[in-house]
Structures are given as C-alpha cells and as structure tokens.
Amino acid sequence: MQKNLVIVESPAKAKTLEKFLGEDYKVLSSYGHIRDLKKNEFSVDLNNFTPQYEIPEEKTALVKTLKTAANKADTVWLASDEDREGEAISWHLAQVLGLNVKQTKRIVFHEITKDAILDAIKKPRHIDINLVNAQQARRVLDRIVGFKLSPVLWRKVKPALSAGRVQSVAVRLIVEREREVENFKSESSYKVTAVFLADKAELKAEFNQRFATEELAKAFLEKCKGQQFKISDISKKPMQRVPAPPFTTSTLQQEAARKLGFSVAQTMSVAQRLYEAGIITYMRTDSVNLSTLCLNASKKEIVETLGEKYSKRRQYQTRSKGAQEAHEAIRPTYMDQHEIQGTMQERRLYELIWKRTIASQMADAEIEKTIITIVPTNSKEETENCFVASAEVVTFDGFLRVYRESFDDENTEEQVSTTIDAQLTEGQLLNYKEIQAIERFSQCPLRYTEASLVKKLEELGIGRPSTYAPTISTIQQREYVQKGDKKGEKRNYKQFTLKAGKDIKESEKNEIVGNEKGKLLPTDIGTVVNDFLVNNFENIVSYDFTAEVEKDFDEIAEGKENWQEAMADFYKKFEPQCEKVLHERSEHKAGERVLGIDPKSGKEVCVKIGRFGPVVQIGSANDTEKPRFAQLSKGQSLQTITLEDALELFKLPRELGEYEGATISIGAGRFGPYVLHNKQYVSIPKEIDPLAIEYDEAVELIKERKKAEAEKHIKSFKEDAELQILNGRYGPYIVYKGSNYKIPRTVKEPKELSYEQCLEIVEKEASKPKLARKKK
DNA sequence: CAGTGAGCGAGCTTCCGCTTGACTT
C-alpha cells in the first residue's frame, strides 16, 4: 500500500510522474476540473454571488476512485498546474475529497523532469485561496455574461444563439475585418524598376520613390531616356537574423496551418496523440520556456551534428498578454529523436516541432547586405532619389540550416533583390537595358484564417490555449462564421517600358487579386448579432474587456480585492443594461432592413433574421392578412439583397404541369431548390436556375433519380419486405425497419447474403452502443 | 454512391476553462 497519493491533471503526466517517484507514491489524475457550475442552470446566487458547484455525472466514478485512494493514503499531494485554474482544481479536490484546505500539501512544477519533481516534493506549500478566488471570479463572470446575454439574443434576434466574453469578440473581429475589406479602396502608384548592364552581367534595381500618377511616371521615364548612369555608392553591412522562439499552442497552430495546411483542431488532435505517446511535452501552453534538460540535449545534438559554432543557448521570455506559464514550451521529449514512427500527419508535426526547438537553440544567421545606389551621370546636385540594388548573401547560415518561420503575408509584396555576379566599383558607369514603370496597388487587409484569428486573440489576451480550437468551432457551429473561399477579381494595370535605344512603350495588363481560400467569413446572422451586441453591449464585446477584468482578477489573486464584491460591482451595472435592452420596444427587429414596396400587394417588403435564419417578409404581422415569407437562398445576403431579387424568391413554389398523372412542382427547401413529383424530392443542381427550369428538364431530373434509385437496390427478401440491401455512399448497407446497418468488411459479396445472415448482422450491429447523435 | 424537404411559433436554447473519451451510420 502506497503512503502517498499525488493528484495531477493529466493521465499522461501521471504515468511519467509515477516512474520518477518510485514505489511509495501512487499518482492519479483528475482529468481537469472535477466540479463546475451546473450545466443547464444559472447556478450563481445573485444576492451574494455564491456559486453552486456540482460534480458532473461523467466525473462521479472518477471522484469515487480518488476518494478511496485519498482515504487509504497517509499523505495527499495536490499537484495540479500552477495557474489560476490549477489552483482551483486543487481546491475543489480538497473539498470533495474531504481534505483540510489549509493543511493539504500543494506542489507545483513547470517541467516534467525528475529533478523538478523531487525538488517540488521537498518544498510543498498550501492552497492559495486568493488565487482560487480569482478563478471563481473568472468562472462566475463568464457565466453571468454568457447566461444573461444569450437570452437577450434569443428574444431580440433568434433562438438558440449565444454570446460570451470570448466568442463574441472573435466574431466581432471577423465582421469588422470583412467590412474593412468591403470598404477598402486601393490606391495605385507607379513603381519603377530597372535592369542595368554592368559588363555582361545584369543588375536589377528599384527607384526609391514611387510616382503617384501616370503622368509623373511617364515624365520620369522620359528623363531617363538615353541617360547614362553611374554607381554612386556601394555599401555593405552585416546583419543578423534570430530564430523564432519555441512553440506555444498558438504559434504551433499558426505554423502547422501555414506549413502543413492543418486546421487548428487537427493540429491539436495530432499533438494530443504525440503527447499521449510521450513524444512531446504538453501541447496546451503559453510558455516559451525550455527545461535545462532540453537546453543541454539540444546543445549536444547541435554540436555533434553541426559543430560548436552552430550552437547558442537561449532562454526566451513570454510576451503574450495574460500568460500563466504553467508548462514548458511545446518541444520533443527527447531531442536526439529526429524523427518518429506514426501516421504521416504525426511525423510531419513532430518534425516541425523538432526543427523549431533545435533552431531556437542555434546561432544567429549572419547575412551580408550589399546596397548599391545608382544615379544618372548628369545629376549634379546630391539628390536623395536614386535607384537601389540590394543583395543579401548568407555568410553563415546558423539556425537557417534547420528552420525558417513562415508568415501570413508572404509573397504579397514583391521585392527587388538580386544576386550580384559582376565586380562592381563606385563610380562605375552603367547603361540601362530596360526601365519600367508598373502600376501597383495598396494591399487590401487579409481576412482571418483560423490560425491568424488565434494569433489575434492571443495578442488581445482573449481565450486560453485550451480554448482556441473550441472557440473557433463554436462560432462556426452557431453559424456566425463560415469557412469559405473568396474569388479574386480581375484588375487592370498599366505598364510603361523604356528599352535601350527605343521609345517608351505603353501596355495594359491584368492580374487576379483578392483570391482567398479557407478564410473565415461572417454570415448574416453573425453580422446582425455582432452589430446588435456592439450597439447595446459595447463594454462587453470591447477588445479591452478581457484585459480589464483580468486586472481585477489579479487584484483578487493578490488578496487586495474581495471577489464577490467585484462580481457585485460588475453586475450592478450589467444587469440594468440587460433589462433595458430586453424591454426596449423597437419598431424594427435587430438587423431588419426595409427594401421597399411590393408592387403587387402594395405592402412593405423587408429582410431580417427569422426563426430559421435570414428571410424576406411581405407585409407585417399587424395586417389582417398574414405576412408572406421566403428564405434567402445561398449566396444572398441581408445587407446586399435588392427588392427585385427578394421578390423573385416568392415565385416558388411553381407548378410545371402533369407527368405520369402527378403534378410536378418546383420548391425551395432547407437544402436548396428541388423538384417535387409523387412525393419524391429531387434536388436541382446548382447549374440550373429553379426559376427558369422547364417541364422537360424537370422530367429529365425525375427520370435520372428513378434510375439511380433502381441501381441503388441490391437485394430484397420475400420473407420480409422491410429488409433490403442497398448501395449507399459508404458502400452496401442493410436497411431494416427504417434503420441502416453496416455490413462487416469480412463480407465480400453482399449480394450473396441470405435473409438469416442479414438478420444476424442487424442484431449484432444493433447491440453495439450508439454514439449520441450530434446536434444539427 | 444516401437522404433530408416546416414554418414564423407554446418548448428549449446559453458561458469559459481544465482534461480525455469512445465513436465512425
């Protein structure tokens, strides 16, 4: 029987710890929080802000195990993470396990190494109740905000919506970026580049001033015509480049997106597997700190493979707002393991982590930058305008040997950089081969990707490593935001070229700009909800709100402020704000836009967010006649739809006539437009306009559908009409009494299955436990 | 490579942070 029980947060950590601590210690895991506010109730007494905690059902078995183990042990050590949440986990554990809060031993370590752990055991402390209170304040504030704001949205915008301190700001960022893009007016100017001839080699250079207009650019080229040029100056300066710090959750998500094309959720799930296999350290962290163990191991690797001069020991400082640094940076557990076994994704992510970690401990790259200034030979006065050719030569590659960080805005602005082949001297005369003025445009702001949104949230100190991925999935689930592509637009630009011995030639070219893939785009609902919140709760969805309340939490953690009083202070202002908005009667719903008058009925036509999303409405609920509704179709938006397009939507359903004794009608449903015939629905492909589709086309679709239906059928049974073998998207399957059943892979020829065999499969499959179906 | 297809309202919805599960019709 072990004398000591140690409780940590993660089971993988527990496993490692047990190895280090030896026989006298049993190590168990709490799997995060064991208690929380009730899930479906407000659970905060608004008179004194006392929270009502409960152990969620899925944790009861675990808590029982922990209790038994705690009762058996002589000493219990609470070893949850050293941050606000970790302290609260320890406190809840102490309470639930019946331990004395003031006396129970509390230990912490920031890295899972033997030394760190034995060290921690030597100097236990007690639970810091102030830090616990800061967590309670954080938890209760989030509950108040979320559970008071969401119902306002249900009432004023649409049921089942949600708002919160983190998600609403995430949506705001996306909506506002979209508006920046929409309102962006690009300005053009002329950039001048030249190719000079130095002996036989070419030297590319750019003029260090841009020209605002076509006329100025042309005038400049005119002045250059027939000119000879000279090198007025050659300067060389050494530069250093430093490696990026080791990965945190946020930077790992960004780099994995840029370099490997992973989604934020994908990165986290692959990293989780690596962590559970003991290959990398913990993947939810805001710290860039590396353990001494890792620093030493990295140095050894670098010195052994590349030599002493490539090694440089570095400790990085965390700069991000609100970082709590309970863990190390994300790094390989063993630096000598350059690659791993596993899936393609696992191998690639590991390689990225290994390289970034190693590079962070490598020497600076040394670069020699050469800048050559070129002026016309006839220029008398010392003018600051000149052509500049610049070249960079890596004189020592340092960390670049292993790893180079990527950036989102790479390749957006082409820079003239050249390699210099010729021997050049100051005063040397040059002739131009070609001088060109090209119209260039200012860069439109880029829409957010999942990863760049995470970066922005981290900069604002909003959200935590464990919530970045879930937040992004929440705002998509609520349909505030969609991931999608934006097609670029063609843009014309002018170009003037001056070749040696010739006149200026003008040409017009075009390019595609603004093509964006996998970007976060706001939906109508997201936009309306955001505008509603910004109008009525600017203080809550402000970019600074989190930073401000964090200041309070810090005060509470330092024991300078009473947490429940802080909550009372907040609620005193927040509650009347909610009440006011809730009871405000306005003529128009949030986001409603009047388009005009329906010429047929003379009634008002408006668009708004309806019970099921964006709709057009003709007439009002106050009229004697009920208003008519039509859902906006895909690609239409509340903000841009015209009266004409809106009225088009009322042309469905249409009837096209009889076919085989039944009416064909065209309608629009949840999944787009369809042909309805004999209770059979057939989707209309998006190439065909449902408003223009003709009788023959509709019949064709019905026939196609019938044919597909016939092919779908593999076998039925005379014993039971309710049993059939069908061919579906995932291969053959069995339908029995309205439910689908998978045919085991071992069955090679589903056609040959007998009635009895089918029933056997059905029985077997039905007995398997079913996953709770996802909400749609 | 399936199948889904209403109605504008009588019940329910919702937060953020800690953790991993057991699931693939």
Side-chain angles (χ1 to χ4, degrees):
Chain A
M1 187 59 48
Q2 283 115 329
K3 294 193 197 105
N4 297 283
L5 171 67
V6 181
I7 304 177
V8 294
E9 290 183 36
S10 139
K13 199 168 171 178
K15 232 167 63 188
T16 331
L17 229 58
E18 209 150 43
K19 275 193 301 200
F20 291 142
L21 285 172
E23 303 195 317
D24 285 342
Y25 291 82
K26 184 181 179 72
V27 187
L28 291 177
S29 151
S30 73
Y31 292 78
H33 277 292
I34 55 154
R35 246 183 11 174
D36 190 14
L37 299 176
K38 291 180 186 168
K39 207 164 160 266
N40 299 315
E41 283 173 39
F42 194 69
S43 293
V44 177
D45 184 336
L46 288 168
N47 296 309
N48 50 19
F49 297 90
T50 309
Q52 289 170 43
Y53 294 115
E54 73 170 4
I55 298 164
E57 209 188 274
E58 66 271 17
K59 291 273 185 174
T60 49
L62 169 74
V63 168
K64 213 172 142 192
T65 312
L66 291 174
K67 257 189 195 162
T68 322
N71 286 336
K72 281 190 198 157
D74 295 340
T75 312
V76 178
W77 306 74
L78 299 176
S80 47
D81 298 342
E82 184 172 39
D83 57 19
R84 206 160 62 199
E85 297 298 326
E87 205 66 19
I89 289 174
S90 279
W91 179 72
H92 282 298
L93 279 168
Q95 294 221 318
V96 170
L97 303 183
L99 308 171
N100 184 321
V101 171
K102 288 196 173 136
Q103 282 166 20
T104 304
K105 291 190 161 76
R106 166 89 172 105
I107 52 170
V108 293
F109 27 79
H110 299 123
E111 44 184 69
I112 315 295
T113 56
K114 193 167 183 175
D115 287 349
I117 289 150
L118 295 180
D119 216 38
I121 292 276
K122 274 186 223 149
K123 34 184 184 186
R125 56 173 178 85
H126 297 127
I127 292 173
D128 178 352
I129 196 68
N130 289 331
L131 195 51
V132 172
N133 288 340
Q135 192 276 347
Q136 297 201 85
R138 198 280 302 155
R139 182 66 190 91
V140 165
L141 179 94
D142 282 335
R143 173 54 63 92
I144 294 174
V145 169
F147 273 42
K148 287 289 173 191
L149 231 40
S150 300
V152 177
L153 294 179
W154 303 343
R155 180 101 153 254
K156 294 287 177 178
V157 183
K158 181 171 135 45
L161 294 175
S162 66
R165 175 176 58 83
V166 173
Q167 57 167 287
S168 298
V169 177
V171 174
R172 181 175 183 182
L173 284 165
I174 293 161
V175 170
E176 293 191 343
R177 177 58 54 88
E178 191 67 24
R179 295 216 165 107
E180 278 175 55
V181 172
E182 275 165 20
N183 298 330
F184 182 77
K185 300 250 184 323
S186 73
E187 286 175 5
S188 83
S189 63
Y190 284 80
K191 171 174 124 175
V192 178
T193 58
V195 179
F196 294 105
L197 292 170
D199 298 330
K200 275 163 205 158
E202 293 189 347
L203 184 61
K204 280 188 197 151
E206 181 179 338
F207 197 63
N208 69 352
Q209 185 204 0
R210 291 197 173 198
F211 297 94
T213 65
E214 187 183 325
E215 288 68 32
L216 289 170
K218 267 200 313 214
F220 176 74
L221 287 190
E222 204 61 56
K223 252 172 49 188
C224 289
K225 197 164 137 190
Q227 265 300 328
Q228 194 172 41
F229 292 81
K230 72 173 181 212
I231 295 177
S232 65
D233 186 59
I234 299 178
S235 71
K236 289 190 179 192
K237 64 172 181 200
M239 294 193 330
Q240 280 86 39
R241 207 164 282 161
V242 296
F247 278 133
T248 60
T249 303
S250 139
T251 53
L252 178 67
Q253 288 171 346
Q254 291 162 44
E255 275 289 82
R258 290 186 288 238
K259 285 200 155 85
L260 311 178
F262 287 6
S263 73
V264 161
Q266 213 178 352
T267 300
M268 292 315 281
S269 99
V270 176
Q272 174 89 29
R273 290 204 298 274
L274 295 177
Y275 167 67
E276 281 171 18
I279 296 170
I280 61 168
T281 55
Y282 196 57
M283 64 283 156
R284 290 186 274 264
T285 177
D286 50 24
S287 168
V288 285
N289 193 59
L290 295 174
S291 68
T292 322
L293 193 80
C294 170
L295 295 182
N296 293 337
S298 302
K299 177 164 186 179
K300 184 162 170 272
E301 276 310 297
I302 297 163
V303 171
E304 270 173 18
T305 51
L306 297 165
E308 187 76 46
K309 63 176 180 177
Y310 275 93
S311 162
K312 180 170 180 185
R313 177 180 285 239
R314 302 168 195 264
Q315 255 317 353
Y316 293 84
Q317 294 295 318
T318 301
R319 255 179 294 157
S320 65
K321 238 190 231 176
Q324 306 199 7
E325 304 212 57
H327 306 92
E328 269 188 79
I330 305 171
R331 62 160 175 94
T333 318
Y334 308 104
M335 290 310 297
D336 54 1
Q337 199 170 359
H338 296 206
E339 45 194 43
I340 55 156
Q341 303 282 309
T343 64
M344 182 63 128
Q345 292 185 331
E346 287 163 5
R347 293 203 308 266
R348 294 178 75 199
L349 192 71
Y350 180 81
E351 192 192 346
L352 193 67
I353 295 170
W354 185 83
K355 284 184 170 172
R356 173 93 165 204
T357 311
I358 276 285
S360 80
Q361 294 306 312
M362 288 177 70
D364 293 352
E366 312 271 350
I367 288 157
E368 188 184 67
K369 187 164 187 177
T370 306
I371 297 170
I372 301 167
T373 5
I374 299 156
V375 294
T377 43
N378 71 344
S379 87
K380 290 181 198 95
E381 77 268 46
E382 273 300 306
T383 148
E384 56 193 48
N385 291 331
C386 53
F387 281 96
V388 176
S390 69
E392 284 185 7
V393 177
V394 177
T395 50
F396 174 61
D397 54 1
F399 76 94
L400 290 177
R401 170 77 69 105
V402 175
Y403 179 89
R404 186 192 289 262
E405 191 180 17
S406 307
F407 297 93
D408 285 331
D409 49 2
E410 252 163 50
N411 308 324
T412 49
E413 184 63 7
E414 66 273 18
Q415 274 207 328
V416 177
S417 184
T418 182
T419 48
I420 300 168
D421 308 324
Q423 280 295 94
L424 301 169
T425 50
E426 276 180 27
Q428 184 175 346
L429 297 178
L430 301 171
N431 288 315
Y432 66 85
K433 181 184 172 196
E434 179 183 288
I435 301 178
Q436 198 167 50
I438 304 177
E439 188 178 14
R440 295 285 72 190
F441 298 83
S442 49
Q443 172 71 43
C444 180
L446 294 171
R447 293 181 174 89
Y448 286 105
T449 60
E450 287 190 358
S452 67
L453 181 66
V454 168
K455 184 181 179 188
K456 185 69 188 175
L457 288 172
E458 188 189 38
E459 279 168 16
L460 294 168
I462 298 171
R464 304 276 313 130
S466 66
T467 59
Y468 296 138
T471 300
I472 283 176
S473 103
T474 300
I475 59 176
Q476 290 180 74
Q477 247 171 31
R478 298 269 174 278
E479 295 181 320
Y480 291 153
V481 164
Q482 271 174 351
K483 236 203 271 188
D485 304 338
K486 277 278 170 179
K487 268 213 168 153
E489 282 169 17
K490 208 155 114 179
R491 177 168 71 192
N492 293 327
Y493 65 94
K494 283 186 179 166
Q495 184 176 307
F496 302 95
T497 311
L498 174 67
K499 286 199 172 166
K502 296 202 172 140
D503 278 332
I504 297 169
K505 208 176 92 189
E506 176 175 343
S507 52
E508 178 128 333
K509 304 206 163 181
N510 61 62
E511 60 190 341
I512 305 285
V513 284
N515 201 9
E516 294 194 82
K517 274 201 169 148
K519 292 305 178 84
L520 298 173
L521 310 168
T523 61
D524 278 338
I525 297 174
T527 309
V528 169
V529 165
N530 175 65
D531 294 352
F532 177 80
L533 291 174
V534 171
N535 284 334
N536 297 291
F537 297 95
E538 209 282 330
N539 52 334
I540 306 295
V541 296
S542 138
Y543 295 125
D544 304 325
F545 180 61
T546 293
E548 278 162 20
V549 293
E550 282 290 342
K551 277 188 218 147
D552 284 320
F553 300 155
D554 287 346
E555 296 273 292
I556 294 166
E558 286 167 32
K560 293 179 189 160
E561 202 176 329
N562 174 297
W563 82 268
Q564 278 152 315
E565 281 170 17
M567 291 300 101
D569 272 353
F570 168 74
Y571 193 63
K572 208 162 61 196
K573 283 175 249 155
F574 181 59
E575 196 257 353
Q577 207 181 342
C578 294
E579 284 304 307
K580 178 174 166 271
V581 176
L582 210 47
H583 297 112
E584 234 164 25
R585 292 200 150 259
S586 65
E587 241 174 86
H588 296 291
K589 249 192 109 181
E592 185 173 320
R593 199 162 73 87
V594 178
L595 298 181
I597 301 294
D598 171 31
K600 269 191 210 150
S601 61
K603 288 181 182 170
E604 195 179 78
V605 182
C606 70
V607 284
K608 62 182 182 186
I609 302 287
R611 174 80 171 78
F612 298 97
V615 286
V616 194
Q617 179 177 341
I618 301 181
S620 99
N622 306 329
D623 299 349
T624 41
E625 216 179 323
K626 269 194 163 186
R628 295 172 67 208
F629 294 90
Q631 195 125 33
L632 265 64
S633 61
K634 264 191 190 154
Q636 288 182 322
S637 152
L638 282 192
Q639 286 110 66
T640 55
I641 191 171
T642 59
L643 177 64
E644 204 184 5
D645 290 341
L647 291 173
E648 281 287 305
L649 295 169
F650 288 91
K651 294 188 177 159
L652 292 178
R654 329 159 27 214
E655 295 196 351
L656 290 182
E658 300 260 314
Y659 173 66
E660 294 184 343
T663 323
I664 299 178
S665 64
I666 309 296
R670 260 204 298 167
F671 312 103
Y674 58 85
V675 179
L676 177 61
H677 177 250
N678 250 338
K679 289 184 189 162
Q680 179 69 254
Y681 292 90
V682 188
S683 290
I684 299 176
K686 53 178 179 293
E687 306 85 70
I688 301 178
D689 180 0
L691 294 174
I693 188 168
E694 288 180 32
Y695 180 84
D696 291 346
E697 285 178 295
V699 168
E700 195 55 41
L701 285 175
I702 293 165
K703 279 186 185 160
E704 269 172 35
R705 174 52 180 274
K706 280 195 172 148
K707 199 172 143 225
E709 198 76 11
E711 278 167 6
K712 176 184 144 185
H713 183 259
I714 297 179
K715 194 172 186 180
S716 25
F717 299 89
K718 57 181 180 300
E719 292 93 330
D720 191 343
E722 282 190 290
L723 182 74
Q724 283 187 316
I725 304 177
L726 299 179
N727 202 8
R729 186 153 69 118
Y730 305 102
Y733 66 99
I734 297 173
V735 183
Y736 182 58
K737 295 190 173 165
S739 294
N740 297 348
Y741 301 90
K742 191 174 66 167
I743 296 178
R745 254 182 225 154
T746 44
V747 178
K748 291 276 176 294
E749 285 293 338
K751 250 189 302 196
E752 311 294 326
L753 284 174
S754 70
Y755 176 66
E756 286 76 18
Q757 281 172 317
C758 284
L759 281 187
E760 211 173 289
I761 291 170
V762 167
E763 214 167 288
K764 227 169 154 185
E765 289 292 318
S767 67
K768 283 189 187 173
K770 267 200 159 179
L771 172 72
R773 285 193 66 85
K774 269 193 201 161
K775 280 200 283 184
K776 47 179 178 176

